Amino acid sequence: MSMVPKANPSEESPFTALSTSDPTQQGSFLSGHFKWEETAEAHMLKGEVPGLRREEVKVDVENGRVLQVCGQRVVEAEEDGDACRRLHRRVSKFKKCFTLPPDTQPDQMMASMENGVLTVTLPKQNLPIAIAN
């Protein structure tokens, strides 16, 4: 049985997304929006991950066809009271998986993050073009 999600007919993108965000966790980056763009040279995935640092986001390709974007933030707050000391720890995380189109080169993937926007670029393969006679 495959863990890769099947295509959603209502999606216009060739990327199929499966979110495993925990809805009980509060964190602005959990509701991040991911958008797919295609150019002549590459497929690009842009996602909003506000407040996360580069080291809190992981981008990986599994089995050559599934792009995984994961993020986790741990926030700790201390309170010193009269009789006790309290430590509040909140963990927020997300994981999104995208099935890659067949014309991508996953081994050439590039990812960058700027101002809370993650950009993943996957170059296209140079497929032969059929010439009609």
Side-chain angles (χ1 to χ4, degrees), residues 32-69:
H33 175 73
F34 282 83
K35 182 173 102 174
W36 173 77
E37 296 176 3
E38 182 177 3
T39 66
E41 298 84 30
H43 294 279
M44 290 188 296
L45 181 70
K46 292 186 178 185
E48 299 171 2
V49 288
L52 286 179
R53 295 185 314 268
R54 176 180 285 186
E55 54 272 3
E56 295 174 321
V57 177
K58 181 180 176 188
V59 179
D60 221 356
V61 175
E62 281 195 359
N63 302 324
R65 294 286 91 186
V66 179
L67 177 69
Q68 285 189 350
V69 181

Side-chain angles (χ1 to χ4, degrees), residues 43-127:
H43 294 279
M44 290 188 296
L45 181 70
K46 292 186 178 185
E48 299 171 2
V49 288
L52 286 179
R53 295 185 314 268
R54 176 180 285 186
E55 54 272 3
E56 295 174 321
V57 177
K58 181 180 176 188
V59 179
D60 221 356
V61 175
E62 281 195 359
N63 302 324
R65 294 286 91 186
V66 179
L67 177 69
Q68 285 189 350
V69 181
C70 306
Q72 178 174 330
R73 177 190 299 150
V74 178
V75 179
E76 293 183 357
E78 277 189 48
E79 284 182 23
D80 286 329
D82 294 334
C84 64
R85 178 177 168 209
R86 293 182 185 177
L87 175 66
H88 299 277
R89 183 175 294 145
R90 184 178 69 201
V91 178
S92 300
K93 56 185 164 180
F94 76 93
K95 178 179 179 181
K96 293 190 183 264
C97 299
F98 304 90
T99 303
L100 298 176
D103 65 342
T104 58
Q105 295 180 16
D107 56 331
Q108 302 292 320
M109 175 183 69
M110 294 177 288
S112 64
M113 201 160 112
E114 186 175 336
N115 296 327
V117 177
L118 172 69
T119 303
V120 180
T121 305
L122 295 143
K124 289 183 176 180
Q125 295 175 354
N126 295 330
L127 298 176

